[in-house]
Amino acid sequence: DQQVKQNSPSLSVQEGRISILNCDYTNSMFDYFLWYKKYPAEGPTFLISISSIKDKNEDGRFTVFLNKSAKHLSLHIVPSQPGDSAVYFCAALPQGGSEKLVFGKGTKLTVNP
Amino acid sequence: GAGVSQTPSNKVTEKGKYVELRCDPISGHTALYWYRQSLGQGPEFLIYFQGTGAADDSGLPNDRFFAVRPEGSVSTLKIQRTERGDSAVYLCASSLSARPGELFFGEGSRLTVL
């Protein structure tokens, strides 16, 4: 049973436009939500996170939005660049001090020049 | 190097054999994690060490899997009697736990069981 779901396996956008990656979760008992980026043959790298008590966090071109009532979060990248092409994983950290990150299946983003 | 180092990067073995995968975390990182990523899936938690002790091993799929971190630095993931379903990329990560969930991953060890 997938607790963190990324329903779009892939997304293609034009350079300079906005990329919006979506993630849904089923468990209300998550403390933090995170996005990781992964290039081929490399390990995932941390991108941005948001606490469950907030609804927005911004870091440069990357913004994460959290809608707790809908159990939905999204990652906005603007403007998108070809170097952003990668697989993006949504992840969640359970409450209670757990260190057990729960990942979605990932969305492959392609930014076309 | 400054990052998490994993060896071997690729391992091909036959069903039933024993395998060891090694992880050298970032110096000074007290927390160490093992995840497994199968094709088309996200990373799946296996085990978490804080120092030398396994703080949470609830993700280990069965008793064929075992991990150690005897001196609180390097860790070894051990898989006995490998099965074809064990084929995956095994990812190691470390952290200072300064920001919740912010892990530094290695490049992974790709295990193929024939």
Side-chain angles (χ1 to χ4, degrees), chain A residues 36 43 89 99-101 104-105, chain B residues 33 35 37 41-42 58 101 103 106:
Chain A
Y36 277 79
F89 290 100
E99 294 286 331
K100 197 166 156 178
L101 271 178
K105 291 187 177 183
Chain B
Y33 310 76
Y35 282 77
Q37 186 175 13
Q41 304 294 316
S58 61
L103 309 185

Side-chain angles (χ1 to χ4, degrees), chain B residues 8 19 22-23 27 31 37 45 54 60 71 80 84-85 90 99 112:
Chain B
V19 164
R22 176 191 164 108
C23 173
S27 177
Q37 186 175 13
F45 172 84
L60 294 177
E71 297 177 359
Q80 298 178 322
R84 291 195 181 89
Y90 289 81
R99 281 199 285 189
T112 303

Side-chain angles (χ1 to χ4, degrees), chain B residues 51-64:
Chain B
T52 60
D56 184 349
D57 65 357
S58 61
L60 294 177
N62 51 60
D63 62 6
R64 295 186 298 106

Side-chain angles (χ1 to χ4, degrees), chain B residues 12-19 64 79-87 111-114:
Chain B
V12 180
T13 191
E14 292 178 344
K15 181 183 168 184
K17 299 288 189 185
Y18 170 80
V19 164
R64 295 186 298 106
I79 311 173
Q80 298 178 322
R81 304 183 305 280
T82 51
E83 300 177 356
R84 291 195 181 89
D86 299 335
S87 297
L111 175 66
T112 303
V113 182
L114 301 176

